[in-house]
């Protein structure tokens, strides 16, 4: 399998690989066959049929809809929004902004000072999976971190046809 073994692809799909590694891997995906395999593995792990275009995190995907739209979708089937919008604004958010709330996840004394840093946790409104955690200063805007150029990725990079709605 060359540079990325089946184990790596499995870890990737299991969500045990860090997101920065995923991005790095995606950008080195010049092997169309390997990418197709990866896409198939992802697709086989969800119960719905919308073709997955790209993963967007541990539980989220960008999928192709019949109407031509590309939506952010959770593995449980919940659809958030168009992929160009910030899905976090459509998620349930829990903000740890007090010592008490910090101490639920951090040991005492190791937790950040809530005056300087808060923890934002984003959850799927349907299945309650934790989708992302952000540690930011309290006034920091909600981060919109990744807006991939899907067409360029398929057409110019891996050079495989975009998956079509069946
Ligand atoms: Zn969900």
């Amino acid at each position: 399998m060359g540079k990325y073994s089946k184990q790596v692809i499995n870890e990737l799909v299991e969500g045990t690989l860090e997101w920065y590694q995923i991005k790095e891997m995606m950008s080195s995906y010049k092997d169309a066959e390997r990418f197709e395999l990866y896409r198939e593995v992802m697709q086989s792990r969800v119960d719905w049929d919308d073709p997955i275009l790209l993963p967007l995190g541990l539980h989220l995907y960008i999928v192709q809809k019949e109407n031509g739209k590309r939506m952010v979708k959770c593995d449980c089937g919940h659809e958030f929004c168009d992929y160009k919008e910030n899905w976090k604004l459509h998620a349930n958010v829990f903000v740890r902004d007090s010592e008490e709330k910090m101490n639920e996840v951090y040991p005492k004394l190791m937790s950040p000072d809530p005056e300087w840093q808060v923890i934002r946790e984003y959850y799927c409104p349907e299945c309650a999976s934790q989708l992302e955690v952000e540690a930011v200063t309290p006034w920091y805007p909600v981060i919109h971190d990744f807006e991939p150029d899907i067409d360029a990725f398929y057409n110019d990079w891996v050079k495989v046809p975009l998956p079509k709605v069946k």
Side-chain angles (χ1 to χ4, degrees):
M1 291 267 320
K3 201 169 161 196
Y4 299 111
S5 65
K6 203 156 198 174
Q7 191 199 335
V8 171
I9 292 183
N10 254 320
E11 277 178 32
L12 180 64
V13 177
E14 294 278 336
T16 48
L17 275 191
E18 295 291 335
W19 180 232
Y20 70 89
Q21 290 174 289
I22 298 176
K23 273 197 238 180
E24 194 179 293
M25 224 173 122
M26 299 295 292
S27 57
S28 59
Y29 256 122
K30 290 192 169 170
D31 181 336
E33 207 177 300
R34 195 178 299 138
F35 176 70
E36 294 273 54
L37 174 67
Y38 170 48
R39 227 190 53 75
E40 267 169 43
V41 174
M42 280 192 299
Q43 194 81 52
S44 71
R45 295 169 63 99
V46 295
D47 292 334
W48 30 265
D49 294 327
D50 301 321
I52 293 172
L53 299 172
L54 285 177
L56 199 58
L58 295 186
H59 298 277
L60 297 182
Y61 308 90
I62 300 172
V63 302
Q64 183 68 55
K65 302 297 291 181
E66 267 169 70
N67 58 10
K69 282 204 164 208
R70 291 164 174 178
M71 302 286 286
V72 176
K73 187 165 180 150
C74 179
D75 47 22
C76 75
H78 181 76
E79 287 180 6
F80 283 82
C81 54
D82 189 280
Y83 85 103
K84 294 198 166 172
E85 284 175 54
N86 192 348
W87 63 267
K88 289 175 188 169
L89 301 175
H90 302 270
N92 289 348
V93 60
F94 181 71
V95 184
R96 295 187 191 274
D97 53 2
S98 68
E99 225 169 290
E100 200 189 351
K101 286 179 194 162
M102 292 278 190
N103 287 336
E104 290 167 11
V105 288
Y106 282 100
K108 251 197 160 72
L109 302 174
M110 283 183 64
S111 67
D113 181 344
E115 276 197 40
W116 294 100
Q117 193 174 58
V118 298
I119 313 261
R120 294 186 194 137
E121 299 168 350
Y122 297 92
Y123 293 90
C124 174
E126 209 163 314
C127 69
S129 291
Q130 191 177 75
L131 303 173
E132 201 162 309
V133 178
E134 257 167 26
V136 288
T137 49
W139 54 86
Y140 202 85
V142 173
I143 300 167
H144 187 192
D145 38 18
F146 185 46
E147 193 193 305
D149 187 338
I150 297 170
D151 294 297
F153 180 76
Y154 275 87
N155 298 331
D156 307 332
W157 199 262
V158 287
K159 298 190 168 75
V160 295
L162 274 153
K164 295 234 158 41
V165 179
K166 277 165 205 145

